[in-house]
Amino acid sequence: MGSIVISLDAELGWGFHDLESPPIDRVESGRRGWSVMLELCSEYDVPATWAVVGHLMLESCDGTHADHPSPEGWFARERSEWRDREDLRFGPDLVRGIIDSDVDHEFASHSFSHVLFGRPETDRELAVAELDRSIELATEWDQTIDSFVYPRNDVGHRDVLAESGVSAYRGRSPTRDGIRGVFDSTLRDRSMVVDPTVDEHGLVNVPASLFLFGFEGTARTVAESIWNDPMVVLARRGIDEAAASDGIFHMWLHPNNLTHERDDRRMEAILAYIDKRRAETDLTVETMADVARQVDDCDGIDGPAKGVDGQATARQY
């Protein structure tokens, strides 16, 4: 039985605070996109893994974070240009929207302040602090963190995740984004389903299949004028492939990717198709934590089977 996983990198301004010139349209669309995605998930009863930047759970702060072992200047924008932009720095109202939703979403971590775990300057002390602070805040909201989504998919310090009680993370996609990805998946007929694997730390890697906003700008406009939204076409193909297999089709996005109404229409078309195929087949919709729990149950019976790369292939349930 195949399944669909949707994960969202919920970050507001924190996804851009370290950039010299943040994309204004994305920065200003975070709250709007967050609300739209919650509404669409509720309308089509689609649970998702919401990976939330921990700082968004705060009501306020002084912007210094003196006890946090961050790189020099890491919180500078919070104290300067964004000092009066509480809408970009905090999001307790949006966090509450996830928790109070009538859909059983997963509350996951996207670190505390969007630190890039794979960078050389992110030492173990910083990785521990980022994860510990995120988990501490989630606990204050009566939430348990089972899954982690790496900021900018920069994987690192997996041992820290394991020691903190995290059970799953989103690994890098084996497929390309953009025009090359559309070419490979459509013309070369490459599979978009993935299998979770168990790494050497006991973490379940739930790889991404498709970034839903990897084909934008002029190329998207031209494609839509003569064909259809390429990402909707690819998403439907991946959903169909999952429905016909035992694999996982794992889509991901940022709420701030929804900058215009046509982006809303893209997501509604995809969620509506999930709902349609779920009614017609045995297709299920899972969170990353759901996948990890089923992998654990399977391993408890037979143990994980080894893949060609030495990791354990876990999709046996």
Side-chain angles (χ1 to χ4, degrees):
M1 179 175 62
S3 66
I4 304 298
V5 174
I6 299 177
S7 55
L8 299 100
D9 301 17
E11 51 197 35
L12 295 186
W14 291 99
F16 311 100
H17 77 106
D18 59 321
L19 302 182
E20 184 176 346
S21 300
I24 299 302
D25 59 338
R26 296 270 309 277
V27 170
E28 300 297 340
S29 297
R31 285 183 162 268
R32 174 193 177 281
W34 192 314
S35 297
V36 169
M37 283 305 302
L38 277 176
E39 291 172 5
L40 289 175
C41 286
S42 180
E43 179 178 353
Y44 293 101
D45 192 22
V46 172
T49 295
W50 288 77
V52 178
V53 167
H55 195 287
L56 299 179
M57 289 182 264
L58 295 173
E59 296 279 354
S60 64
C61 74
D62 61 7
T64 60
H65 305 284
D67 296 331
H68 198 71
S70 55
E72 184 177 354
W74 183 248
F75 294 102
R77 184 166 259 127
E78 186 182 19
R79 300 190 301 273
S80 54
E81 298 111 292
W82 290 355
R83 181 175 180 177
D84 296 325
R85 294 299 306 271
E86 293 189 356
D87 58 318
L88 302 181
R89 298 163 53 203
F90 310 110
D93 55 325
L94 297 175
V95 170
R96 178 55 61 189
I98 298 171
I99 296 172
D100 290 348
S101 172
D102 54 356
V103 180
D104 191 17
H105 293 301
E106 176 188 5
F107 196 91
S109 174
H110 198 38
S111 79
F112 171 66
S113 63
H114 210 263
V115 160
L116 307 184
F117 275 51
R119 294 288 180 88
E121 60 267 29
T122 302
D123 58 18
R124 196 175 196 281
E125 180 188 15
L126 178 55
V128 169
E130 281 282 305
L131 194 53
D132 282 356
R133 184 64 175 131
S134 185
I135 291 174
E136 176 186 336
L137 287 166
T139 301
E140 293 176 5
W141 283 75
D142 295 323
Q143 300 300 301
T144 300
I145 299 297
D146 294 314
S147 302
F148 187 83
V149 170
Y150 284 99
R152 296 188 193 139
N153 296 306
D154 200 357
V155 176
H157 297 288
R158 286 176 292 129
D159 58 321
V160 172
L161 270 60
E163 291 172 9
S164 298
V166 171
S167 58
Y169 68 95
R170 189 181 71 205
R172 294 188 181 94
S173 172
T175 59
R176 296 170 173 173
D177 294 328
I179 295 175
R180 287 188 176 183
V182 172
F183 177 81
D184 286 346
S185 299
T186 304
L187 300 183
R188 293 184 178 179
D189 198 30
R190 290 191 175 178
S191 173
M192 287 190 289
V193 299
V194 295
D195 285 318
T197 58
V198 181
D199 72 10
E200 68 272 25
H201 304 289
L203 296 170
V204 178
N205 173 10
V206 187
S209 299
L210 181 68
F211 174 47
L212 291 174
F213 287 83
F215 192 95
E216 305 307 307
T218 302
R220 173 182 176 180
T221 301
V222 171
E224 288 179 338
S225 69
I226 61 176
W227 184 35
N228 198 346
D229 183 338
M231 303 313 296
V232 173
V233 172
L234 284 184
R236 286 174 175 167
R237 180 168 174 258
I239 293 164
D240 287 342
E241 189 178 356
S245 72
D246 289 329
I248 293 172
F249 180 53
H250 182 179
M251 297 173 278
W252 72 279
L253 70 152
H254 311 84
N256 59 49
N257 287 129
L258 278 66
T259 60
H260 298 93
E261 288 185 4
R262 71 173 186 170
D263 303 319
D264 304 352
R265 291 193 294 270
R266 170 183 288 177
M267 293 311 306
E268 181 164 20
I270 291 171
L271 267 59
Y273 195 71
I274 291 173
D275 190 47
K276 174 179 180 293
R277 296 295 285 143
R278 182 172 52 185
E280 297 170 342
T281 68
D282 290 332
L283 185 71
T284 62
V285 181
E286 301 179 288
T287 65
M288 289 172 57
D290 291 333
V291 173
R293 280 191 289 269
Q294 294 186 66
V295 168
D296 287 341
D297 290 344
C298 176
D299 291 350
I301 299 173
D302 300 315
K306 295 296 181 181
V308 293
D309 60 356
Q311 288 191 319
T313 57
R315 190 67 172 177
Q316 303 175 50
Y317 49 87

